[in-house]
Amino acid sequence: MKRRTFIAGAATAGSLAAVGSVAYGAAADPDRTASQAGHIRSATAITKVFGDGQKLMAVAVEYDQEIDTSTLSTSTFAVTDRTVTKVYANRTAALAERGKDGRYVIVELSSEDTAAALWVTGQGSSTPTSTPSSTSTATASPSPSSSSGSGGAPGGGGPVVGDDTPGGTIVAAKATLVQKGTVTSTRGTRYAATDTTLTTSSVVNLIVDDFKQFTYDDSATGQTLRYNLFVPKNYDPRKSYPLVLFMHDASVVNVATEGPLVQGLGAVCWASPEDQAKHECFVLAPEYGSVVVDDNYEPSTLFDATANLVESLTKRYSIDEDRRYTTGQSMGAMMSLGLSIKYPDLFAAAFIVAGQWPSDVAAPLADKKLWILVSQDDDKSYSGENAITKVIKEQGTAVATATWDGRSTAAQFAADVRSLKAQKAPVNYASFQTGTTVESGSSTSAHMGTWRIAYTIPGIRDWIMQQSRDDG
C-alpha cells in the first residue's frame, strides 16, 4: 500500500488530478487546506473496493505529535455528508482493527452512505440517489463522449452486453471534515475543537495502488491496450508465478485505466494481502476502449490482442505457462469462454461469472477446467450456461452442479464450495437461486448482482489457483 495522488500533465496544485479521461484522486481547496490547521499536517482519503465498487471509507488526519487513541470517539470528528463509524489513532495512514497511539487519527466512515460511492453506474447501490452538494465528499467527473471502435463511449448508447451498457464513471475521492472534539497527544497536549474545515489533499487506494498502469502495442492486430498489472511484492525472476487475467464488463468500457480495479472485486481480490499470502501471482486487468464482444458474439481485434498481451507478459516475466488463469464478468466472462475455445493452450482454468457463448461451438470447453457462477434470474446467461454445460456433458466430461443462496454468509459459501469440490469434477457449475442476488426493491439487475457476490468467495479462487494445465 502506498500513498498516491494521481497527476496528469502540468496540473496545478489544488486541481483535480486526471487519469485517462476522467478525474481520479483528490482535490485540495487552497483556502482550506489541512496544513493551515496548526497542529494538523495533512488529511488523506482512504478508499476500499467492495463488490459494488470502490468507496471512500476513511480519512487519516496527521498530527505533529502522537495521539492518545483512548481519548478519541466517533464524536471527535464530523465529515460532510458522511456517517462516522469509528475513530482511533494509528502509526500509519491505514485502517486497523484496533487503534494504537500514533500521529494519525483514522476516521472511519459508513460504506452505506450515498456519498461513499466512487464507482457510479446506471444500476445499483453504487449509484448515488441524489446529487451531492457542493461540499460533498464526492463530485462526479464523467468521461468524454468521444469513442473509438464499435463499442460507443460510456453513456453513448453502445452495444448492450447482457444488460450492462457502457456508462461507468469514476468519482474523485475527496472528503471535508471538522474536528469537533478535543484531541489529546500522548504527551498530554490538548488540541481543542475548531471550526476550521479540513480537506483531503492525497489518497490511499487500498490494493488499487499496488497495481501499475501500462500500454501494450500489439503489432499483430494494430491495437493498443491499456492495462493494469499487479506484480507480486517479492517478485523473484528465478521463481515461476501464476497469472490471473481479469476482463471487465461493458459498463467499464472507455473509462480511466484504473476502471477495472475500482468497479468491483474481480481484479483486486486476487491481489489482496490475504490471497497473495496463499497464492502469489500476477494479476492482469486490461481496460478496453470499446466493447470487445457483444451479444452478437463477433469479437473485435481487441480479443486477439488480449491473448497476445498474455503471451507477451509471459515472456517478459517469470510466468508459468501451465498456471495462467482467466476470469471475467458479463463481457469479460464471454471473452474468457471465447479465448478458451480459440486459444486452447492459453489458460489452465477459467472462472466464468454471468456470461455465455454459443453452445454450437462450445464442445472444446469439455477439455477445460471451469468454475461457472450465474443467477437463475439472469435469463440470458443462465440459459446460455445451461446450454454450454449440456454440450460439455454430451462430450463425456463430468459437471458438478449446485444451487446456492446468494444471501449466504462467508461460512455458508465456504461450505458450498467444499460440497461442490467434493464431486471432483473438472467443471463446477453453481447457480444462485431465484431472488437471492439482489435485495427487494433494488434497481440492480440479477446479472450485475451476480458478480458483486462472486468475487467475495475465496474458496472459488483457491480452486482456480490449484489447477494446472499439465495435470490433465
Side-chain angles (χ1 to χ4, degrees):
M1 180 186 72
K2 57 181 178 291
R3 185 180 303 179
R4 177 185 299 180
T5 301
F6 293 109
I7 301 176
T12 57
S15 64
L16 276 176
V19 172
S21 58
V22 301
Y24 189 68
D29 183 340
D31 296 324
R32 311 174 102 177
T33 58
S35 62
Q36 295 176 348
H39 297 284
I40 295 177
R41 292 181 173 177
S42 67
T44 300
I46 300 176
T47 75
K48 182 179 178 179
V49 180
F50 294 81
D52 58 351
Q54 188 184 55
K55 299 182 181 183
L56 198 161
M57 290 303 298
V59 177
V61 182
E62 182 185 9
Y63 285 81
D64 59 356
Q65 293 186 34
E66 287 196 352
I67 301 303
D68 182 351
T69 192
S70 67
T71 67
L72 302 171
S73 71
T74 54
S75 61
T76 306
F77 285 88
V79 182
T80 306
D81 292 347
R82 300 302 304 272
T83 303
V84 177
T85 60
K86 192 176 178 182
V87 178
Y88 53 90
N90 203 1
R91 294 171 187 169
T92 60
L95 304 180
E97 289 295 324
R98 295 183 179 181
K100 59 183 69 174
D101 295 346
R103 290 189 297 107
Y104 294 88
V105 172
I106 310 301
V107 183
E108 290 196 15
L109 308 169
S110 172
S111 62
E112 300 301 317
D113 292 341
T114 296
L118 300 177
W119 170 248
V120 180
T121 67
Q123 294 192 54
S125 61
S126 57
T127 303
T129 56
S130 61
T131 302
S133 66
S134 59
T135 56
S136 169
T137 57
T139 303
S141 298
S143 302
S145 59
S146 61
S147 65
S148 60
S150 62
V160 174
V161 182
D163 60 0
D164 42 301
T165 305
T169 301
I170 298 174
V171 174
K174 183 177 73 171
T176 58
L177 67 162
V178 174
Q179 181 188 319
K180 291 290 189 179
T182 300
V183 173
T184 304
S185 76
T186 53
R187 299 177 182 177
T189 304
R190 292 168 59 84
Y191 301 138
T194 175
D195 292 331
T196 302
T197 298
L198 309 175
T199 300
T200 54
S201 57
S202 59
V203 185
V204 167
N205 301 290
L206 300 178
I207 306 180
V208 171
D209 285 347
D210 297 327
F211 284 76
K212 294 182 179 180
Q213 289 68 49
F214 301 94
T215 58
Y216 169 66
D217 294 316
D218 182 29
S219 59
T221 63
Q223 289 281 3
T224 295
L225 265 178
R226 291 178 290 138
Y227 67 95
N228 304 275
L229 183 67
F230 174 87
V231 177
K233 183 178 179 180
N234 298 311
Y235 172 63
D236 182 351
R238 295 170 297 181
K239 295 171 58 177
S240 184
Y241 296 83
L243 176 143
V244 178
L245 165 67
F246 169 76
M247 292 175 288
H248 61 73
D249 62 280
S251 72
V252 193
V253 163
N254 200 28
V255 299
T257 304
E258 288 81 2
L261 309 180
V262 304
Q263 56 76 47
L265 293 168
V268 297
C269 64
W270 309 89
S272 71
E274 296 80 10
D275 274 54
Q276 286 290 308
K278 295 184 293 182
H279 313 290
E280 275 190 309
C281 68
F282 284 77
V283 185
L284 168 63
E287 163 56 37
Y288 296 107
S290 61
V291 170
V292 182
V293 57
D294 58 23
D295 291 347
N296 292 321
Y297 305 105
E298 297 176 355
S300 74
T301 52
L302 288 169
F303 182 83
D304 299 294
T306 302
N308 295 339
L309 171 58
V310 171
E311 293 288 10
S312 175
L313 291 174
T314 302
K315 295 175 182 177
R316 179 179 174 187
Y317 295 97
S318 183
I319 292 171
D320 187 345
E321 292 183 357
D322 292 324
R323 292 188 296 159
R324 297 183 300 202
Y325 312 106
T326 182
T327 186
Q329 57 208 30
S330 192
M331 181 183 81
M334 294 162 66
M335 291 180 67
S336 290
L337 290 167
L339 287 169
S340 295
I341 293 170
K342 185 172 182 179
Y343 299 94
D345 296 326
L346 194 58
F347 302 112
F351 181 21
I352 308 299
V353 180
Q356 70 278 342
W357 200 255
S359 60
D360 59 356
V361 295
L365 293 174
D367 297 327
K368 303 303 173 187
K369 298 165 189 173
L370 307 174
W371 196 296
I372 302 166
L373 195 55
V374 68
S375 169
Q376 294 177 5
D377 290 320
D378 184 356
D379 294 339
K380 188 175 294 182
S381 294
Y382 185 48
S383 61
E385 292 300 349
N386 286 339
I388 286 174
T389 51
K390 181 175 183 291
V391 170
I392 290 173
K393 290 178 182 178
E394 290 172 347
Q395 297 296 310
T397 298
V399 178
T401 59
T403 299
W404 291 355
D405 187 335
R407 302 164 297 189
S408 295
T409 64
Q412 290 168 334
F413 276 133
D416 289 337
V417 169
R418 288 194 296 270
S419 295
L420 204 53
K421 287 171 62 177
Q423 298 184 42
K424 298 185 182 301
V427 177
N428 296 286
Y429 180 24
S431 60
F432 290 129
Q433 66 189 53
T434 299
T436 67
T437 55
V438 294
E439 296 180 1
S440 178
S442 171
S443 61
T444 302
S445 68
H447 181 67
M448 298 185 78
T450 301
W451 61 75
R452 296 184 178 188
I453 304 168
Y455 292 104
T456 68
I457 307 173
I460 298 176
R461 301 196 297 277
D462 292 339
W463 182 87
I464 292 291
M465 298 298 292
Q466 290 164 1
Q467 308 310 309
S468 176
R469 197 182 60 172
D470 62 0
D471 61 12

